Amino acid sequence: METIYDILKEEHDQLADLLQQAVADSSKVSFLKIRIRAEPHMIGEEKFFYPRLEETEELRDLIAEAYKEHNEAKALISEMEVMEERDESWTSKLSELKQSIDHHVKEEENKVFERARNVLSQQEAEELAEQYVEFKRSYMNRVEAGELPV
Ligand SMILES: [Fe+2]
Ligand SMILES: [Fe+2]
């Protein structure tokens, strides 16, 4: 069965592709594809993954850092939402966003996942995956139903 690491890693890879695409074409459409994937990913991690890891004392600093990096990405995303691709700083904001997310993903995969594997049992990692996938499904349904801003 898939674990939370498998699911998150898969989404990280998709995000990396989208970021590369966005930097290549510098379009707002490409940016919006990143946003619609990055936002529920971060919310899901903050809802199901991070709180469980914070229970372990020695993971707290690492998770605090992860929240900080999420907030940095979220701030950039909301800044870019109201920008146009012809804006002077669009390209630099986009590469800032790419750097910020790439860095966070690397830290998450190399440090957070690594330590989490010592804390979570296989069964727990599978249960978290189920909860996360279920959350994502209902979030995306709400987006499609127009209940959440896109
Ligand atoms: Fe992640
Ligand atoms: Fe994250």
Side-chain angles (χ1 to χ4, degrees), residues 28 31-32 35 76-85 87 90:
K28 181 118 185 201
F31 161 76
L32 291 172
R35 196 193 67 169
L76 272 169
I77 288 171
S78 50
E79 225 180 304
M80 292 180 74
E81 262 167 8
V82 292
M83 288 174 72
E84 301 293 339
E85 52 194 67
D87 287 356
W90 176 259

Side-chain angles (χ1 to χ4, degrees), residues 41 45 50 70 104 108:
H41 180 92
E45 286 178 344
Y50 293 174
H70 275 196
H104 172 66
E108 201 158 64

